[in-house]
Amino acid sequence: MDGIGYDADRPRVVHLDHTTVRGGAELALVRLLSADPAWTPAVLVPAIDEVDVFASLAPTVVRRTCGVRQEAGGSDASPVRLAGLALRLLAQAVLTRTHPLVRTADVVAANSTRAAAYAAIALGLSRTPLVVHLRDMIDQESLGTFGYRLMTRLVLPRADAVIGNSKATLAGALPFLRADAVPVVIPSASGLMLSGGRTPRSGPLRIGMLARIDPWKGQAELLEAFADAFGGGNEELELAGGAPFEHEAFAERLRGRAAALGLADRVHLLGHVDDTHALLGRWDIAVQYSTRAEPMGQNVLQYLAAGVAAVVADEGGPAEWVTDRVNGRRVAPRDVRELTRALRELGGDDQERQRLAEAAGRTPGLLEDAAVAAAHAEVFREVLHRREQHARRRPVQGRAGIG
């Protein structure tokens, strides 16, 4: 791709993802491509996993598989597993580079960290613009030593644009970008439906967390805080989210702990929930309490847009959206006692919950998916414009990098 000959009105964008499992990045991409984007999209994945989240896309979105199945995990893998990961990344990079969709793309957009790694290798000597979606903190805790080195030494220096899902996410990437790269913050497409309020509900107080079942997402900490705050009452706790990426055993441990606390009939693991709007409509308090800094937390945006009183960990992306005691509550991270205190206070104060819920729905900057898609379109146009300007300043010697 030399920046000349593309359709400026509808550029061809190939979205790469390393899995078809329902993760936050994958659900965000489905929402983005379902929002009538101003580009011609295609999705390229290595293989179809046990769940194909992209099957719900419209038939007009080209979907192809080509490559080596990418196993879950990696940030804390053993040396043997890391070696296997590296081999799969290299194989996937070769297959990605030679795929017809990539060879004829105007822009390649990596939707996940793993996809960004093999995309950067594949496009290393290509002029095709690479747009990287940053959905992880750029640190060793989040990415592991191997992933951090790949991201900071290979991926970010190759990126023509990076889309951070929060200021915190983007900040970690800035030192590693080229001077001519386009850095921008755009919240992930989160299926928001902005409304003027919610109907008051009756029944026992209901607390919930919407997040995939994963030890670092904080379900265990919320369970302990719920037991401390409401152990003798009739309040209910709902944990909504599937258990992908080999975390079924953790879901079972949560059920076992709830039973040991005498809460088996009041703590419910709902699995994956498609209708999140109805789900949030029956919650009185919604919690985000990841045990490491959350890059963004699509669930936080969903809580706010739904007009539910939110409690979030006071770090990372969520802290950019929730102002303590204005449109929600921020509590010290990794401190079950502080979380317990916040839940107990909100649980016992109907008026405060209602006040925070009403303010949540008025949070500035909440975007429906169509607005998120429009912001992405601007990024794609900008990187293509810059490539075209660069091509005009130098002799064009064929379509280097796309065969």
Side-chain angles (χ1 to χ4, degrees), residues 64 71 73 83 94 101 110 138 154 176 178 183-184 198 222 256 304 312 316-317 332 347 349 359 365 367 382:
R64 297 288 185 270
E71 295 182 3
V94 172
L101 282 178
I138 308 302
L154 177 67
F176 307 101
R178 302 194 317 266
V184 63
R198 52 190 277 147
L222 175 56
L304 296 173
V312 306
D349 192 335
L367 300 178
E382 177 62 20

PDB file of all heavy atoms in Angstrom, residues 64 71 73 83 94 101 110 138 154 176 178 183-184 198 222 256 304 312 316-317 332 347 349 359 365 367 382:
ATOM      1  N   ARG A  64     -12.795 -14.005   7.314  1.00  0.00           N
ATOM      2  CA  ARG A  64     -11.939 -15.082   6.836  1.00  0.00           C
ATOM      3  C   ARG A  64     -11.102 -15.631   7.985  1.00  0.00           C
ATOM      4  O   ARG A  64     -10.807 -14.912   8.944  1.00  0.00           O
ATOM      5  CB  ARG A  64     -10.993 -14.585   5.728  1.00  0.00           C
ATOM      6  CG  ARG A  64     -11.695 -14.106   4.470  1.00  0.00           C
ATOM      7  CD  ARG A  64     -12.273 -15.279   3.687  1.00  0.00           C
ATOM      8  NE  ARG A  64     -12.845 -14.830   2.424  1.00  0.00           N
ATOM      9  CZ  ARG A  64     -14.115 -14.450   2.258  1.00  0.00           C
ATOM     10  NH1 ARG A  64     -14.932 -14.456   3.312  1.00  0.00           N
ATOM     11  NH2 ARG A  64     -14.552 -14.065   1.081  1.00  0.00           N
ATOM     12  N   GLU A  71      -3.239 -19.947  21.479  1.00  0.00           N
ATOM     13  CA  GLU A  71      -3.687 -20.432  22.771  1.00  0.00           C
ATOM     14  C   GLU A  71      -3.858 -19.284  23.755  1.00  0.00           C
ATOM     15  O   GLU A  71      -3.227 -18.231  23.630  1.00  0.00           O
ATOM     16  CB  GLU A  71      -2.685 -21.442  23.341  1.00  0.00           C
ATOM     17  CG  GLU A  71      -2.584 -22.715  22.526  1.00  0.00           C
ATOM     18  CD  GLU A  71      -1.631 -23.703  23.157  1.00  0.00           C
ATOM     19  OE1 GLU A  71      -1.107 -23.398  24.252  1.00  0.00           O
ATOM     20  OE2 GLU A  71      -1.411 -24.776  22.573  1.00  0.00           O
ATOM     21  N   GLY A  73      -3.582 -17.235  27.319  1.00  0.00           N
ATOM     22  CA  GLY A  73      -2.472 -17.028  28.237  1.00  0.00           C
ATOM     23  C   GLY A  73      -1.244 -16.517  27.512  1.00  0.00           C
ATOM     24  O   GLY A  73      -1.235 -16.286  26.310  1.00  0.00           O
ATOM     25  N   ALA A  83       7.988 -20.304  24.264  1.00  0.00           N
ATOM     26  CA  ALA A  83       8.604 -20.703  23.001  1.00  0.00           C
ATOM     27  C   ALA A  83       7.537 -21.085  21.980  1.00  0.00           C
ATOM     28  O   ALA A  83       7.614 -20.709  20.801  1.00  0.00           O
ATOM     29  CB  ALA A  83       9.574 -21.865  23.229  1.00  0.00           C
ATOM     30  N   VAL A  94       3.600 -14.720   9.060  1.00  0.00           N
ATOM     31  CA  VAL A  94       3.835 -15.090   7.661  1.00  0.00           C
ATOM     32  C   VAL A  94       2.514 -15.278   6.925  1.00  0.00           C
ATOM     33  O   VAL A  94       2.313 -14.780   5.805  1.00  0.00           O
ATOM     34  CB  VAL A  94       4.696 -16.363   7.588  1.00  0.00           C
ATOM     35  CG1 VAL A  94       4.780 -16.868   6.147  1.00  0.00           C
ATOM     36  CG2 VAL A  94       6.083 -16.103   8.148  1.00  0.00           C
ATOM     37  N   LEU A 101      -6.563 -10.552   1.767  1.00  0.00           N
ATOM     38  CA  LEU A 101      -7.193  -9.403   2.416  1.00  0.00           C
ATOM     39  C   LEU A 101      -6.148  -8.383   2.861  1.00  0.00           C
ATOM     40  O   LEU A 101      -6.325  -7.169   2.698  1.00  0.00           O
ATOM     41  CB  LEU A 101      -8.014  -9.853   3.623  1.00  0.00           C
ATOM     42  CG  LEU A 101      -9.378 -10.476   3.372  1.00  0.00           C
ATOM     43  CD1 LEU A 101     -10.000 -10.907   4.693  1.00  0.00           C
ATOM     44  CD2 LEU A 101     -10.300  -9.514   2.636  1.00  0.00           C
ATOM     45  N   ALA A 110      -5.169  -3.783  14.226  1.00  0.00           N
ATOM     46  CA  ALA A 110      -5.010  -4.878  15.180  1.00  0.00           C
ATOM     47  C   ALA A 110      -5.911  -4.620  16.374  1.00  0.00           C
ATOM     48  O   ALA A 110      -5.761  -3.616  17.076  1.00  0.00           O
ATOM     49  CB  ALA A 110      -3.558  -5.001  15.620  1.00  0.00           C
ATOM     50  N   ILE A 138       0.407  -0.684  29.222  1.00  0.00           N
ATOM     51  CA  ILE A 138       1.727  -1.003  28.685  1.00  0.00           C
ATOM     52  C   ILE A 138       2.698  -1.135  29.853  1.00  0.00           C
ATOM     53  O   ILE A 138       3.448  -0.214  30.189  1.00  0.00           O
ATOM     54  CB  ILE A 138       2.191   0.067  27.675  1.00  0.00           C
ATOM     55  CG1 ILE A 138       1.115   0.298  26.613  1.00  0.00           C
ATOM     56  CG2 ILE A 138       3.505  -0.364  27.012  1.00  0.00           C
ATOM     57  CD1 ILE A 138       0.730  -0.947  25.835  1.00  0.00           C
ATOM     58  N   LEU A 154       8.741  -3.586  19.223  1.00  0.00           N
ATOM     59  CA  LEU A 154       8.330  -3.968  17.876  1.00  0.00           C
ATOM     60  C   LEU A 154       7.012  -3.332  17.451  1.00  0.00           C
ATOM     61  O   LEU A 154       6.934  -2.665  16.417  1.00  0.00           O
ATOM     62  CB  LEU A 154       8.214  -5.499  17.788  1.00  0.00           C
ATOM     63  CG  LEU A 154       7.714  -6.066  16.461  1.00  0.00           C
ATOM     64  CD1 LEU A 154       8.741  -5.806  15.366  1.00  0.00           C
ATOM     65  CD2 LEU A 154       7.448  -7.565  16.587  1.00  0.00           C
ATOM     66  N   PHE A 176       7.059   5.227  23.229  1.00  0.00           N
ATOM     67  CA  PHE A 176       7.578   4.250  22.276  1.00  0.00           C
ATOM     68  C   PHE A 176       7.086   4.484  20.846  1.00  0.00           C
ATOM     69  O   PHE A 176       7.427   3.715  19.948  1.00  0.00           O
ATOM     70  CB  PHE A 176       7.178   2.837  22.731  1.00  0.00           C
ATOM     71  CG  PHE A 176       7.577   2.538  24.148  1.00  0.00           C
ATOM     72  CD1 PHE A 176       6.639   2.600  25.175  1.00  0.00           C
ATOM     73  CD2 PHE A 176       8.884   2.236  24.461  1.00  0.00           C
ATOM     74  CE1 PHE A 176       7.002   2.341  26.481  1.00  0.00           C
ATOM     75  CE2 PHE A 176       9.261   1.974  25.773  1.00  0.00           C
ATOM     76  CZ  PHE A 176       8.326   2.029  26.778  1.00  0.00           C
ATOM     77  N   ARG A 178       6.586   6.505  17.150  1.00  0.00           N
ATOM     78  CA  ARG A 178       7.295   7.396  16.238  1.00  0.00           C
ATOM     79  C   ARG A 178       6.706   8.799  16.342  1.00  0.00           C
ATOM     80  O   ARG A 178       5.536   8.981  16.710  1.00  0.00           O
ATOM     81  CB  ARG A 178       7.165   6.918  14.792  1.00  0.00           C
ATOM     82  CG  ARG A 178       7.678   5.524  14.519  1.00  0.00           C
ATOM     83  CD  ARG A 178       7.805   5.298  13.006  1.00  0.00           C
ATOM     84  NE  ARG A 178       6.668   5.804  12.263  1.00  0.00           N
ATOM     85  CZ  ARG A 178       5.609   5.090  11.916  1.00  0.00           C
ATOM     86  NH1 ARG A 178       5.524   3.818  12.274  1.00  0.00           N
ATOM     87  NH2 ARG A 178       4.633   5.621  11.213  1.00  0.00           N
ATOM     88  N   PRO A 183      -1.617   9.416  17.856  1.00  0.00           N
ATOM     89  CA  PRO A 183      -2.144   8.873  19.116  1.00  0.00           C
ATOM     90  C   PRO A 183      -3.490   9.511  19.444  1.00  0.00           C
ATOM     91  O   PRO A 183      -3.656  10.733  19.362  1.00  0.00           O
ATOM     92  CB  PRO A 183      -1.076   9.299  20.132  1.00  0.00           C
ATOM     93  CG  PRO A 183      -0.539  10.600  19.583  1.00  0.00           C
ATOM     94  CD  PRO A 183      -0.772  10.617  18.093  1.00  0.00           C
ATOM     95  N   VAL A 184      -4.457   8.696  19.819  1.00  0.00           N
ATOM     96  CA  VAL A 184      -5.788   9.233  20.113  1.00  0.00           C
ATOM     97  C   VAL A 184      -6.472   8.341  21.139  1.00  0.00           C
ATOM     98  O   VAL A 184      -6.220   7.136  21.201  1.00  0.00           O
ATOM     99  CB  VAL A 184      -6.628   9.325  18.808  1.00  0.00           C
ATOM    100  CG1 VAL A 184      -6.853   7.942  18.212  1.00  0.00           C
ATOM    101  CG2 VAL A 184      -7.955  10.034  19.046  1.00  0.00           C
ATOM    102  N   ARG A 198     -34.097   5.692  34.701  1.00  0.00           N
ATOM    103  CA  ARG A 198     -34.502   4.306  34.849  1.00  0.00           C
ATOM    104  C   ARG A 198     -35.706   4.227  35.755  1.00  0.00           C
ATOM    105  O   ARG A 198     -35.920   5.075  36.619  1.00  0.00           O
ATOM    106  CB  ARG A 198     -33.352   3.460  35.391  1.00  0.00           C
ATOM    107  CG  ARG A 198     -32.729   4.030  36.637  1.00  0.00           C
ATOM    108  CD  ARG A 198     -31.442   3.309  37.000  1.00  0.00           C
ATOM    109  NE  ARG A 198     -31.708   2.076  37.748  1.00  0.00           N
ATOM    110  CZ  ARG A 198     -30.959   0.995  37.656  1.00  0.00           C
ATOM    111  NH1 ARG A 198     -29.946   0.965  36.813  1.00  0.00           N
ATOM    112  NH2 ARG A 198     -31.225  -0.060  38.385  1.00  0.00           N
ATOM    113  N   LEU A 222     -15.068  -8.938  45.419  1.00  0.00           N
ATOM    114  CA  LEU A 222     -16.447  -8.461  45.574  1.00  0.00           C
ATOM    115  C   LEU A 222     -17.271  -9.442  46.401  1.00  0.00           C
ATOM    116  O   LEU A 222     -18.081  -9.033  47.258  1.00  0.00           O
ATOM    117  CB  LEU A 222     -17.097  -8.256  44.199  1.00  0.00           C
ATOM    118  CG  LEU A 222     -18.579  -7.880  44.211  1.00  0.00           C
ATOM    119  CD1 LEU A 222     -18.833  -6.621  45.035  1.00  0.00           C
ATOM    120  CD2 LEU A 222     -19.104  -7.702  42.785  1.00  0.00           C
ATOM    121  N   GLY A 256     -18.001 -22.340  45.101  1.00  0.00           N
ATOM    122  CA  GLY A 256     -17.666 -23.018  46.345  1.00  0.00           C
ATOM    123  C   GLY A 256     -17.500 -22.056  47.502  1.00  0.00           C
ATOM    124  O   GLY A 256     -17.941 -22.341  48.630  1.00  0.00           O
ATOM    125  N   LEU A 304     -22.589   3.554  33.785  1.00  0.00           N
ATOM    126  CA  LEU A 304     -22.937   4.978  33.785  1.00  0.00           C
ATOM    127  C   LEU A 304     -24.081   5.258  32.828  1.00  0.00           C
ATOM    128  O   LEU A 304     -25.037   5.958  33.173  1.00  0.00           O
ATOM    129  CB  LEU A 304     -21.705   5.810  33.409  1.00  0.00           C
ATOM    130  CG  LEU A 304     -20.526   5.748  34.382  1.00  0.00           C
ATOM    131  CD1 LEU A 304     -19.324   6.470  33.799  1.00  0.00           C
ATOM    132  CD2 LEU A 304     -20.898   6.349  35.735  1.00  0.00           C
ATOM    133  N   VAL A 312     -16.223   1.875  41.720  1.00  0.00           N
ATOM    134  CA  VAL A 312     -15.089   1.471  40.896  1.00  0.00           C
ATOM    135  C   VAL A 312     -13.793   1.607  41.679  1.00  0.00           C
ATOM    136  O   VAL A 312     -13.703   2.381  42.642  1.00  0.00           O
ATOM    137  CB  VAL A 312     -15.006   2.309  39.605  1.00  0.00           C
ATOM    138  CG1 VAL A 312     -16.323   2.255  38.837  1.00  0.00           C
ATOM    139  CG2 VAL A 312     -14.619   3.755  39.899  1.00  0.00           C
ATOM    140  N   GLY A 316      -6.489   3.691  37.025  1.00  0.00           N
ATOM    141  CA  GLY A 316      -6.690   3.320  35.637  1.00  0.00           C
ATOM    142  C   GLY A 316      -7.814   4.085  34.966  1.00  0.00           C
ATOM    143  O   GLY A 316      -8.222   5.170  35.386  1.00  0.00           O
ATOM    144  N   GLY A 317      -8.333   3.496  33.888  1.00  0.00           N
ATOM    145  CA  GLY A 317      -9.371   4.138  33.098  1.00  0.00           C
ATOM    146  C   GLY A 317     -10.645   4.487  33.842  1.00  0.00           C
ATOM    147  O   GLY A 317     -11.205   5.568  33.636  1.00  0.00           O
ATOM    148  N   ALA A 332     -10.415   2.682  47.242  1.00  0.00           N
ATOM    149  CA  ALA A 332      -9.026   2.248  47.129  1.00  0.00           C
ATOM    150  C   ALA A 332      -8.970   0.854  46.513  1.00  0.00           C
ATOM    151  O   ALA A 332      -9.723  -0.034  46.903  1.00  0.00           O
ATOM    152  CB  ALA A 332      -8.360   2.256  48.499  1.00  0.00           C
ATOM    153  N   GLY A 347     -25.734   0.703  50.194  1.00  0.00           N
ATOM    154  CA  GLY A 347     -26.851  -0.206  50.415  1.00  0.00           C
ATOM    155  C   GLY A 347     -27.855   0.318  51.417  1.00  0.00           C
ATOM    156  O   GLY A 347     -29.059   0.021  51.323  1.00  0.00           O
ATOM    157  N   ASP A 349     -28.546   3.603  51.931  1.00  0.00           N
ATOM    158  CA  ASP A 349     -28.953   4.988  51.653  1.00  0.00           C
ATOM    159  C   ASP A 349     -29.616   5.051  50.282  1.00  0.00           C
ATOM    160  O   ASP A 349     -28.960   5.268  49.252  1.00  0.00           O
ATOM    161  CB  ASP A 349     -27.727   5.896  51.707  1.00  0.00           C
ATOM    162  CG  ASP A 349     -28.083   7.378  51.715  1.00  0.00           C
ATOM    163  OD1 ASP A 349     -29.172   7.727  51.225  1.00  0.00           O
ATOM    164  OD2 ASP A 349     -27.256   8.195  52.196  1.00  0.00           O
ATOM    165  N   ALA A 359     -26.999  11.069  38.286  1.00  0.00           N
ATOM    166  CA  ALA A 359     -25.804  11.771  37.807  1.00  0.00           C
ATOM    167  C   ALA A 359     -25.010  10.897  36.836  1.00  0.00           C
ATOM    168  O   ALA A 359     -24.380  11.412  35.904  1.00  0.00           O
ATOM    169  CB  ALA A 359     -24.935  12.183  38.990  1.00  0.00           C
ATOM    170  N   GLY A 365     -19.284  12.818  27.814  1.00  0.00           N
ATOM    171  CA  GLY A 365     -18.367  12.024  27.005  1.00  0.00           C
ATOM    172  C   GLY A 365     -18.814  10.624  26.680  1.00  0.00           C
ATOM    173  O   GLY A 365     -18.131   9.923  25.912  1.00  0.00           O
ATOM    174  N   LEU A 367     -20.395   7.818  24.679  1.00  0.00           N
ATOM    175  CA  LEU A 367     -20.647   7.764  23.242  1.00  0.00           C
ATOM    176  C   LEU A 367     -21.381   6.485  22.865  1.00  0.00           C
ATOM    177  O   LEU A 367     -20.998   5.392  23.293  1.00  0.00           O
ATOM    178  CB  LEU A 367     -19.328   7.812  22.463  1.00  0.00           C
ATOM    179  CG  LEU A 367     -18.430   9.037  22.651  1.00  0.00           C
ATOM    180  CD1 LEU A 367     -17.154   8.868  21.835  1.00  0.00           C
ATOM    181  CD2 LEU A 367     -19.163  10.308  22.247  1.00  0.00           C
ATOM    182  N   GLU A 382      -6.936   9.827   8.574  1.00  0.00           N
ATOM    183  CA  GLU A 382      -5.731  10.590   8.880  1.00  0.00           C
ATOM    184  C   GLU A 382      -4.462   9.811   8.539  1.00  0.00           C
ATOM    185  O   GLU A 382      -3.519  10.366   7.956  1.00  0.00           O
ATOM    186  CB  GLU A 382      -5.720  10.982  10.361  1.00  0.00           C
ATOM    187  CG  GLU A 382      -4.475  11.731  10.814  1.00  0.00           C
ATOM    188  CD  GLU A 382      -4.273  13.069  10.123  1.00  0.00           C
ATOM    189  OE1 GLU A 382      -5.262  13.619   9.574  1.00  0.00           O
ATOM    190  OE2 GLU A 382      -3.138  13.554  10.131  1.00  0.00           O
TER     191      GLU A 382
END
